[in-house]
Amino acid sequence: MSLKEHISNLPEERKAHAPYNFVKLSDSIAYFEDVGLDRYYPNRYSGYIDCTLTNLTDLYIRAGYTLEEYIRHRDDKFVPVEFFCVDKATKEPVIPGSSIRGMIRELCEIISFAKMKFTDRNKRMLYRDMSSSSSAKDYIGLMSGRMSKDGFTGFYTKASAGYIKEDGGEYYITPAKKINNVQYFRIENDTIKKLENNCLKEFTRHKIWFKPTKPEDHQHSKRKLYYAKVEEIMLDDGKTKKREGWERGWLIISGSMKKKHMQWIIPDEDLESTSIELSGEDIELYKNEAITDKINKNKFSVIPQDKNESIPCFYIQYEDKSGQKHYFFGHTGMFRIPYKYSIGDYIPLHGDGRPDMVESVFGYTEGKKAHKGRVLFTDARLADKQNVVSRHHVSVLGSPKPSSYQLYLNQDTHDIGKLKNYNSKPFDETVIRGYKLYWHKNYVKDVENKTGKKDVETEFDAISAGISFEFKVYFENLSNEELGMLLWVLKLPDGCKYKLGLGKPLGCGSVDIKPVLYLYNIKEKYSTLSLTSWIQKQDDGKIDELKKDFEDCMNKRIGKNIFGERRRILLRMLKFPGPKETDYMELEQFKSREILPGPTGLK
């Protein structure tokens, strides 16, 4: 299977920039056999690698909160977070062996052509796009229609309106009443302002009485929209009797946006209608992807917390990748909907059961099958007890956003209307870009003008540049090629460095590692009373010899050209410092869906 390649001839005006890039995937996998752990094998190596790690830029590995700290600060992003430590009394910084192991394993996966395993393959994403991009065509096609009846030609929202309820752990939607053949109404902010309370606070719902109108075309700035516009409204205090021609319902105030001037009204539920059962899969997708920090903070989710709740919502039917029908939902008429495919659908599966070199060395579980690893990473401790802390005030460290498909999927064009997205057919049309790595910077980017806003800024304590830590990597029964792979990663060429910890996009976490190899003479170990004579220090020549054995193995199994290309791309990503323009883009650049070029095309 030949994987779709990423575009190579991007015009300058269509090039994106980011603090990361990708080592592209390959359809080739290098498989290896497991080795038993019941004895030492001849012609295999056991020993340890003594490593000195020095940070070239400030290093930040977050300490875990205690339960009490978590409860006290779970909503406070502005609380300074200390560096990881084991002893709370001394607070001496420690780099967890698991963090180093994860960093080294990822690089081993890349250079040894292992399977891409440690990704959230089942992760599905939501989108809402009203621009001119390819995903906008999909979104508008599902969520918007155009009238061609009774002289009306305006665009309308296809979503239906109703109420979500919970019953015995299952969730259902009861449709709202249809009045004048519509289930929802629109209302101007200026009309809402006439109410006695502050009803325009974003992410709020208000029980109301309103006087329905008939839907018709309304001219907006760019196009005609078809909807029923409410002009008369009052709050329902539970005492007011129904007026003739009035109906009861809910006023929905969603998030504020520039130029937004209208809100939604949903009539009471239609008690004679048939309820719609929601799948557990879609409920979990909503919980994981649709509930933003603001929605959570304002308790504006449409998921009921108990069986007595009935929450107004909008919903629409859609088909998944297998053609099965689902219903998805949201709090506003143009809510975010699921892409057809998950991230994992764009990653090649290699499920013949054979392990690759990384699985064989580091261990793995595959269903009921498991194999224990043959390497162990210790925690990294301060080399000489020096500890210089730097306080950084930065933009909030967010999580990666693979929903930016122009950055995360291979593209074959720079035409914004033809870009591949997560509705594109996997492999036939595109695949993910590959292994994501962050560029090195020789500085840490702090916030220049502090605002004090807790939702966009935070502080943390990092270990200042120039501090050294020491750790060991113990190994057993490694072949020439396996030990060569480990040493290839632990002893990079001059000018290439590693990225460790948090704050990578800001410039944190560039580190250097200096390894010293020690091999065991197993026969002497068990035939002498000496504690050290069987431990033999190796020179750099032995390390280089083993690295060459690994490269020769990859050239033979994968092919010299394929291995050489990945080696070149990986080392480009690890070069310190990286290219000049590697900051995150401004919002306007994201709107134009500029495309991230490959790593070798940057200066």
Side-chain angles (χ1 to χ4, degrees), residues 111 245 422 453 519 548 573 578:
I111 198 59
Y422 295 103
K453 294 181 179 179
L519 297 178
K548 186 176 184 303
M573 287 295 308

Side-chain angles (χ1 to χ4, degrees), residues 106 119 130 168 174 221 325 340 344 357 538 585-586:
E106 180 182 34
T119 56
M130 304 292 287
T174 301
S221 58
K325 295 186 182 303
K340 183 175 290 187
M357 186 183 289
Q538 307 296 308
M585 295 183 293
E586 298 296 329

Side-chain angles (χ1 to χ4, degrees), residues 14 23 66 108 169 202 213 258 294 315-316 349 354 394 417 506 593:
R14 292 290 293 139
V23 178
T66 64
C108 285
E202 66 175 356
T213 59
K258 188 177 180 181
K294 283 189 175 182
Y315 64 95
I316 199 163
L349 285 174
R354 290 182 295 166
V394 301
L506 307 173
R593 298 282 184 183

Side-chain angles (χ1 to χ4, degrees), residues 105-297:
R105 176 169 182 149
E106 180 182 34
L107 296 180
C108 285
E109 283 185 358
I110 295 172
I111 198 59
S112 71
F113 286 75
K115 309 165 195 170
M116 178 181 271
K117 292 190 64 175
F118 290 93
T119 56
D120 190 354
R121 285 181 174 268
N122 296 323
K123 180 179 176 64
R124 296 176 66 203
M125 291 170 291
L126 308 178
Y127 74 107
R128 174 175 53 206
D129 194 342
M130 304 292 287
S131 66
S132 58
S133 66
S134 57
S135 57
K137 297 176 184 178
D138 299 326
Y139 183 84
I140 294 171
L142 181 64
M143 297 294 289
S144 179
R146 189 170 188 177
M147 282 299 296
S148 58
K149 186 178 179 181
D150 299 331
F152 297 122
T153 59
F155 292 90
Y156 63 92
T157 301
K158 286 184 179 179
S160 302
Y163 292 81
I164 295 185
K165 298 179 178 181
E166 183 267 337
D167 185 10
E170 303 293 333
Y171 293 87
Y172 302 85
I173 293 179
T174 301
K177 289 196 297 186
K178 278 192 175 183
I179 303 172
N180 297 330
N181 206 36
V182 294
Q183 286 182 307
Y184 57 82
F185 297 79
R186 305 303 307 271
I187 184 170
E188 293 280 359
N189 286 347
D190 288 341
T191 304
I192 300 172
K193 289 176 182 178
K194 298 174 184 178
L195 298 174
E196 56 268 28
N197 295 337
N198 179 23
C199 292
L200 267 178
K201 181 182 177 182
E202 66 175 356
F203 299 113
T204 57
R205 303 182 184 96
H206 307 275
K207 192 70 175 172
I208 59 162
W209 289 95
F210 69 99
K211 190 171 184 179
T213 59
K214 292 183 178 180
E216 59 183 355
D217 285 347
H218 299 268
Q219 183 64 51
H220 285 242
S221 58
K222 294 183 179 180
R223 58 179 64 91
K224 287 181 181 179
L225 301 180
Y226 178 79
Y227 55 86
K229 183 177 180 180
V230 168
E231 301 286 357
E232 297 180 74
I233 184 177
M234 64 180 178
L235 293 174
D236 179 8
D237 59 5
K239 301 176 183 178
T240 306
K241 294 182 179 180
K242 180 179 179 180
R243 297 180 181 180
E244 185 177 351
W246 286 60
E247 294 285 345
R248 191 159 53 185
W250 283 89
L251 170 64
I252 314 295
I253 311 295
S254 55
S256 60
M257 294 175 59
K258 188 177 180 181
K259 296 183 179 180
K260 180 179 177 181
H261 58 92
M262 301 193 81
Q263 308 296 339
W264 302 87
I265 291 174
I266 298 179
D268 278 349
E269 57 194 273
D270 183 356
L271 298 178
E272 297 181 358
S273 64
T274 302
S275 294
I276 300 167
E277 185 175 357
L278 299 172
S279 71
E281 177 186 346
D282 287 321
I283 291 292
E284 288 303 309
L285 179 59
Y286 177 86
K287 289 179 178 179
N288 294 333
E289 296 295 321
I291 301 179
T292 63
D293 288 342
K294 283 189 175 182
I295 288 175
N296 189 50
K297 182 179 180 181

Side-chain angles (χ1 to χ4, degrees), residues 357-373:
M357 186 183 289
V358 171
E359 289 175 322
S360 181
V361 171
F362 284 81
Y364 66 92
T365 58
E366 193 77 52
K368 295 183 178 180
K369 187 179 180 181
H371 176 76
K372 184 180 179 182

